[in-house]
């Protein structure tokens, strides 16, 4: 081999080693933890954490969503191309996908999930949640309730003993202890405000949510009522509170009524925030009229409401099988479609006849919990409540109509020594100043529980 051949061999070997080392370096660069804020709305960014490891079979990855108490979300497909520095992953369980480009210690890319498309830049390093120093004592508690353990937070003033303890009970859905929805944390706001004012406040993750055990979607209202009673018993067992009360929001207000009626010795007072005073069917009919207002001809709204009420009554009290539910739903849509605005009818018809929509609709309607909620009636509980009641609602609430429900609470609570109801101007179901009050704008509104609502609540508590 002559000198030129030797030099060429050395150059080829050097180039091979350089490319090999470069590829290894790029692979090493993508392994580790990455975190970034996903801009969900103008007022809310959701932290996401991506964990990447390398095995003999290739890369493995998982996701965390710290604000949603979700860890180890499966990433089904993950790829990284060292030559182009392009990284891709997808997660079937949350219907999300991402594509980005590695640029030093940042992966710059685009996140997509069920209609949401947003830039997402992931920065190398472990995610660290910034904990605010609070001017009161914070204790993590575990509360047994039958076969589950509820995980919660008890906040108490640093100086002096709190003579009154208050339990917060969240509304429908798998709510955590802060009752978090997007940027809003109403239960954190209430607990923070009341604890600074000298009250002890307990809030907890619903069963099967956050750090509480159990299965949320296999639970009934009776299970959630038992959890409220268990949490109240815990506060009573501390032996240091002269009074123990409950603040319940929305469906949590219904649970509060149930406990106050069924276990009066546990409760000294109750506060109902956007709570129903009418039965479950009437509540759902109102919500359907709100959600469909843009589709139904204005002069057909009354007929739509009556059809919806008839269908829900049959679902709640007469239908005993999924097949029967399916027939009732099909018949309902056949009757409702002629009420839809003519220009919106074709797209609405395509939607309600699609297999996915029908599957989701029947799955929700046939759920035993849903049928149980339809059969709920505050008139069974409110007349038996013997403690003071405060009921608040915003006049822009599009989920629990303020005037109708507050009037019913006032009318039905005949055994209570004191019933105070107040309709608050401009507030929605979350007690946030709103534009329309429609649920679709929740994520667009600046966070923060209404100061007026908090002040009204505090004045009433002081008068107790």
């Amino acid at each position: 081999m002559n000198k030129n051949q030797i030099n060429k061999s050395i150059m080829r070997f050097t180039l091979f080693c350089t490319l090999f080392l470069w590829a290894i370096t790029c692979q090493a660069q993508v392994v580790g933890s990455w975190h970034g804020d996903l801009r969900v709305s103008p007022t809310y960014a959701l932290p996401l954490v991506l964990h990447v490891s390398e095995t003999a079979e290739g890369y493995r990855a998982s996701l965390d969503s710290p604000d949603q108490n979700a860890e180890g979300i499966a990433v089904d497909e993950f790829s990284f191309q060292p030559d182009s520095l392009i990284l891709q992953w997808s997660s079937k369980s949350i219907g999300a996908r991402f594509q980005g480009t590695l640029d030093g210690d940042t992966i710059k890319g685009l996140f997509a999930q069920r209609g949401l498309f947003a830039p997402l830049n992931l920065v190398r390093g472990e995610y660290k949640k910034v904990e605010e120093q609070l001017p009161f004592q914070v204790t993590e508690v575990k509360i047994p309730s039958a076969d589950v353990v509820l995980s919660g937070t008890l906040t108490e003033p640093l100086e002096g003993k709190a003579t009154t303890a208050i339990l917060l009970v969240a509304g429908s859905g798998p709510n955590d202890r802060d009752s978090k929805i997007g940027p809003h944390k109403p239960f954190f706001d209430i607990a923070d405000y009341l604890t600074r004012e000298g009250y002890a406040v307990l809030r907890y993750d619903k069963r099967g949510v956050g750090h509480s055990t159990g299965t949320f979607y296999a639970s009934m209202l009776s299970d959630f009522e038992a959890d409220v009673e268990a949490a109240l018993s815990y506060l009573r067992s501390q032996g240091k509170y002269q009074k123990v009360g409950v603040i319940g929001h929305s469906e949590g207000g219904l649970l509060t009524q149930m406990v106050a009626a069924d276990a009066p010795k546990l409760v000294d007072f109750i506060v109902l925030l956007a709570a129903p005073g009418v039965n479950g069917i009437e509540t759902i009919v109102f919500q359907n009229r709100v959600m469909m207002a843009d589709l139904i001809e204005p002069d057909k709204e009354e007929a739509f409401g009556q059809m919806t009420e008839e269908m829900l009554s049959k679902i709640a009290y007469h239908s005993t099988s999924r097949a029967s539910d399916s027939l009732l739903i099909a018949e309902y849509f056949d009757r409702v479609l002629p009420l839809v605005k003519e220009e919106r009818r074709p797209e609405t018809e395509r939607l309600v006849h699609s297999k996915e929509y029908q599957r989701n609709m029947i799955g929700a309607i046939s759920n035993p919990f849903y049928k149980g909620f339809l059969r709920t009636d505050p008139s069974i509980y409110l007349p038996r409540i013997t403690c003071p009641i405060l009921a608040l609602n915003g006049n822009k609430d599009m989920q629990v109509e303020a005037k109708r429900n507050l009037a019913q609470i006032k009318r039905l609570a005949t055994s209570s020594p004191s019933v105070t109801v107040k309709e608050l101007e401009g507030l929605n179901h979350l007690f946030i100043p709103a534009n329309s009050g429609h649920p679709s704008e929740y994520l667009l509104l600046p966070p923060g529980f209404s100061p007026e609502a908090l002040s009204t609540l505090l004045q009433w508590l002081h008068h107790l």
Side-chain angles (χ1 to χ4, degrees):
M1 183 181 293
N2 59 38
K3 187 176 181 179
N4 286 336
Q5 290 175 319
I6 292 174
N7 287 337
K8 288 181 180 178
S9 296
I10 292 173
M11 288 177 64
R12 282 196 297 268
F13 180 73
T14 302
L15 179 61
F16 169 78
C17 289
T18 301
L19 291 172
F20 177 76
L21 289 172
W22 177 78
I24 293 295
T25 300
C26 286
Q27 288 174 354
Q29 283 177 341
V30 83
V31 172
S33 294
W34 305 79
H35 64 89
D37 290 335
L38 176 66
R39 180 59 60 180
V40 177
S41 77
T43 61
Y44 179 47
L46 179 71
L48 287 182
V49 183
L50 174 69
H51 302 288
V52 183
S53 60
E54 191 175 13
T55 68
E57 291 78 28
Y59 291 109
R60 286 187 179 177
S62 66
L63 288 170
D64 297 341
S65 180
D67 275 11
Q68 297 172 311
N69 294 317
E71 297 179 352
I73 300 168
V75 170
D76 307 289
E77 297 180 5
F78 184 97
S79 66
F80 176 65
Q81 302 168 18
D83 54 344
S84 63
L85 301 181
I86 292 176
L87 178 147
Q88 295 176 303
W89 56 259
S90 64
S91 172
K92 293 179 182 176
S93 63
I94 61 172
R97 63 185 188 277
F98 173 85
Q99 178 171 314
T101 303
L102 179 64
D103 182 6
D105 284 334
T106 304
I107 302 170
K108 300 177 180 179
L110 181 68
F111 177 93
Q113 182 184 34
R114 296 169 183 154
L116 169 69
F117 297 89
L120 175 61
N121 294 339
L122 299 169
V123 179
R124 179 185 295 280
E126 296 292 334
Y127 171 79
K128 293 180 181 179
K129 190 173 183 177
V130 178
E131 298 291 347
E132 181 186 357
Q133 282 296 108
L134 300 171
F136 45 76
Q137 183 177 336
V138 180
T139 306
E140 296 299 302
V141 300
K142 298 291 183 181
I143 304 167
S145 176
D147 58 343
V148 306
V149 177
L150 304 175
S151 180
T153 300
L154 176 65
T155 54
E156 300 174 283
L158 288 174
E159 297 180 5
K161 293 184 177 178
T163 58
T164 300
I166 300 171
L167 173 68
L168 305 185
V169 182
S172 60
N175 290 301
D176 66 8
R177 66 194 69 188
D178 291 334
S179 201
K180 183 171 173 52
I181 173 171
H184 311 295
K185 299 187 290 183
F187 275 16
F188 174 88
D189 294 339
I190 295 172
D192 180 83
Y193 179 82
L194 292 180
T195 308
R196 292 172 190 262
E197 294 292 339
Y199 295 89
V201 183
L202 174 63
R203 62 195 198 274
Y204 61 90
D205 299 330
K206 279 190 174 182
R207 56 170 61 203
V209 179
H211 297 291
S212 292
T213 65
T215 305
F216 174 81
Y217 289 105
S219 304
M220 302 292 288
L221 273 174
S222 56
D223 298 314
F224 297 127
E225 181 184 7
D227 293 344
V228 176
E229 292 184 6
L232 286 169
S233 297
Y234 170 84
L235 289 174
R236 292 283 184 189
S237 71
Q238 302 306 296
K240 56 184 179 180
Y241 306 119
Q242 295 175 16
K243 290 184 178 181
V244 175
V246 188
I247 297 176
H249 176 247
S250 194
E251 184 187 283
L254 174 64
L255 292 168
T256 298
Q257 296 172 38
M258 294 165 68
V259 171
D262 295 339
K265 292 183 179 180
L266 290 176
V267 187
D268 293 311
F269 61 87
I270 63 172
V271 178
L272 307 176
L273 300 177
V278 301
N279 63 51
I281 290 175
E282 189 171 338
T283 298
I284 299 299
V285 169
F286 172 74
Q287 292 176 359
N288 272 268
R289 290 185 69 162
V290 168
M291 300 303 291
M292 294 287 285
D294 188 47
L295 289 177
I296 302 297
E297 291 283 2
D299 61 339
K300 300 292 195 308
E301 287 183 6
E302 202 62 39
F304 170 74
Q306 290 175 359
M307 289 179 188
T308 305
E309 183 176 354
E310 290 172 12
M311 183 270 293
L312 292 174
S313 296
K314 291 176 182 178
I315 291 286
Y317 294 105
H318 303 292
S319 181
T320 57
S321 69
R322 189 182 178 93
S324 176
D325 293 342
S326 181
L327 289 174
L328 285 170
I329 290 295
E331 176 189 297
Y332 171 71
F333 284 133
D334 286 343
R335 295 178 64 197
V336 165
L337 279 170
L339 309 184
V340 174
K341 295 174 182 176
E342 190 172 349
E343 67 272 17
R344 303 291 300 275
R345 203 171 297 160
E347 62 177 285
T348 304
E349 187 170 7
R350 282 194 297 273
L351 173 66
V352 300
H353 286 159
S354 68
K355 290 183 179 179
E356 182 180 6
Y357 185 87
Q358 290 187 357
R359 182 172 60 250
N360 292 338
M361 187 76 173
I362 294 166
I365 290 282
S366 295
N367 187 292
F369 177 89
Y370 185 81
K371 291 191 175 188
F373 177 79
L374 291 176
R375 293 191 290 267
T376 60
D377 191 347
S379 68
I380 297 172
Y381 309 107
L382 285 168
R384 294 192 284 126
I385 297 174
T386 55
C387 66
I389 300 172
L390 171 65
L392 303 176
N393 207 338
N395 74 337
K396 288 192 175 181
D397 190 332
M398 296 290 106
Q399 292 183 250
V400 177
E401 186 181 16
K403 275 187 170 34
R404 171 73 173 148
N405 286 279
L406 289 176
Q408 282 293 91
I409 291 170
K410 183 77 172 178
R411 185 181 72 82
L412 292 170
T414 52
S415 298
S416 169
S418 170
V419 183
T420 304
V421 302
K422 187 172 182 180
E423 184 176 337
L424 300 172
E425 185 70 27
L427 301 183
N428 65 12
H429 188 64
L430 303 180
F431 288 84
I432 297 169
N435 299 316
S436 68
H438 198 281
S440 62
E441 72 176 9
Y442 287 171
L443 297 184
L444 304 176
L445 299 173
F449 201 86
S450 162
E452 182 189 0
L454 291 173
S455 176
T456 302
L457 169 60
L458 182 64
Q459 290 176 29
W460 185 83
L461 289 172
H462 283 348
H463 286 148
L464 286 178

